[in-house]
Amino acid sequence: MNPAGHDFVAARRRIEAKAKSAGDKLTTLEDAVLRVKDGDHVAVGGCLFSRTPMALVRELLRQRRRRLTLCRNLTCTEGEFLMAAGAVERIVTAWMSIGLPWGVSKILRHYVESGQVALEEWSHLALGLRFRAGAMGVPFLPALTMLGSDLVAVGGMKTVQDPYTGETLAAIPALFPDVALLHVHRADRFGNSQIDGYPHMDADIASAAATVLVTTEEIVPEEETRRHPDRTVIPGFAVDALVHVPFGSFPHECYALYEADVDHFAEYTAAIDARGPQAVADYLERYVYAPPTWADHLDLFGGARLAERARRARELTGGL
């Protein structure tokens, strides 16, 4: 764990000092990702293959960032892409896979076991508490998770004594990412963002990060967000850049809008089984570097395929 991450006072001052503009946040993918610098600690919202900010990740790859730390509670193909591209030197996660049918990521095993990428593993709860502590601006949160496990030493976690009972508790350290990458269902031009379904840890990530980049499926009038303020998970003043990107998680899913392309995942993992990390490098050439825009990237899947995933999502959720 980076010792600088323990300085919660400096982290609080950084967040407090950031411009909290109420102005228009709309921009392009290219401009938004220019805010990510080499060596940054990047936190990704969503969960596994749900609401992954794939358009932002793709642009991050295209801009050839290096020496990044990637943090996500349940990491998916975006982590494999960033490792294969040489963009990350450290992964902070609780689990990395596309899903149970495919098991733990073979790409993760390759890069970690070969010493090319460091793995910092936390429990699912502990990583969520790290974001929550960062959002609260406190140095740590006491908990029972991970006590007695080998993960305590892996992440360098400390323990504290409960002043009331004398019991030993885990001191889960706050996490203050440099940048958060998030994808939401809808937002107004000021960045007030709404998420349907499971919001996961996105609100805490947005509050803990110094810079917040958001893609959205839909831009709605500000009157709409004012009409339903309770639905705003991420307030606009926390957002630094907003990009309108329909199908911005594809081939991952966005609840009630489109399902994940599981057939595409199966093709991707079969290629890895056959050719190892080279399969991911080939995938990046075809889906990331060759298509000049996100729309061109989606064209590789075809409109009929996108429409079918949207139909299935509506069928599953009753058209919510």
Side-chain angles (χ1 to χ4, degrees):
M1 184 162 50
N2 183 356
H6 295 299
D7 192 349
F8 84 101
V9 174
R12 280 179 62 115
R13 287 174 178 163
R14 181 176 67 170
I15 294 173
E16 290 168 357
K18 72 174 282 187
K20 298 177 177 64
S21 168
D24 194 319
K25 306 295 176 61
L26 279 168
T27 187
T28 64
L29 284 169
E30 294 82 355
D31 176 71
V33 173
L34 284 173
R35 293 164 172 80
V36 184
K37 307 302 181 187
D38 288 349
D40 274 353
H41 189 130
V42 178
V44 174
C47 180
L48 202 61
F49 54 77
S50 182
R51 255 188 332 96
T52 310
M54 291 302 293
L56 285 168
V57 170
R58 178 179 175 275
E59 182 58 31
L60 189 65
L61 291 162
R62 289 176 61 82
Q63 293 193 18
R64 309 286 184 169
R65 293 295 181 272
R66 291 293 182 267
R67 305 191 318 279
L68 301 175
T69 293
L70 171 67
C71 182
R72 195 182 190 203
N73 195 273
L74 299 179
T75 312
C76 195
T77 57
E78 77 289 339
E80 297 185 342
F81 299 165
L82 289 162
M83 283 190 288
V88 297
E89 61 182 17
R90 191 175 195 84
I91 298 283
V92 182
T93 190
W95 194 56
M96 185 168 176
S97 171
I98 297 178
L100 291 175
W102 294 282
V104 174
S105 168
K106 294 178 181 178
I107 299 302
L108 175 72
R109 290 186 63 117
H110 169 80
Y111 282 96
V112 172
E113 291 178 359
S114 64
Q116 298 177 66
V117 174
L119 172 63
E120 185 179 315
E121 187 177 359
W122 297 78
S123 74
H124 185 93
L125 174 60
L127 204 43
L129 291 174
R130 294 196 67 189
F131 288 129
R132 175 61 58 85
M136 294 172 64
V138 297
F140 67 91
L141 286 175
L144 295 173
T145 185
M146 293 173 52
L147 289 176
S149 76
D150 291 340
L151 293 180
V152 173
V154 171
M157 188 184 75
K158 308 295 184 181
T159 59
V160 294
Q161 186 180 55
D162 177 3
Y164 299 102
T165 67
E167 293 293 321
T168 297
L169 300 175
I172 309 298
L175 183 54
F176 297 95
D178 295 302
V179 183
L181 307 182
L182 308 173
H183 185 68
V184 303
H185 285 75
R186 71 191 65 83
D188 63 28
R189 62 193 179 96
F190 301 118
N192 296 297
S193 303
Q194 300 178 348
I195 296 172
D196 294 340
Y198 183 39
H200 202 49
M201 302 171 182
D202 290 40
D204 286 338
I205 293 172
S207 294
T211 299
V212 179
L213 311 181
V214 178
T215 51
T216 181
E217 293 286 333
E218 180 185 8
I219 298 293
V220 297
E222 50 267 31
E223 292 78 16
E224 179 67 17
T225 49
R226 290 173 182 168
R227 189 176 297 115
H228 303 285
D230 56 306
R231 297 180 183 175
T232 297
V233 176
I234 301 165
F237 63 76
V239 176
D240 295 276
L242 173 70
V243 190
H244 181 208
V245 190
F247 282 92
S249 284
F250 202 77
H252 293 200
E253 70 178 8
C254 192
Y255 173 76
L257 295 182
Y258 48 87
E259 280 198 339
D261 195 331
V262 177
D263 294 336
H264 183 74
F265 292 163
E267 296 166 5
Y268 169 78
T269 52
I272 291 173
D273 288 342
R275 305 196 308 279
Q278 183 58 45
V280 184
D282 295 343
Y283 184 97
L284 295 179
E285 288 298 329
R286 181 181 181 189
Y287 287 96
V288 173
Y289 302 127
T293 68
W294 180 252
D296 294 318
H297 162 82
L298 293 178
D299 284 345
L300 293 175
F301 296 90
R305 197 163 186 167
L306 297 178
E308 174 60 16
R309 267 57 190 184
R311 184 195 67 78
R312 291 184 184 182
R314 290 192 300 270
E315 183 179 73
L316 180 66
T317 60
L320 294 176

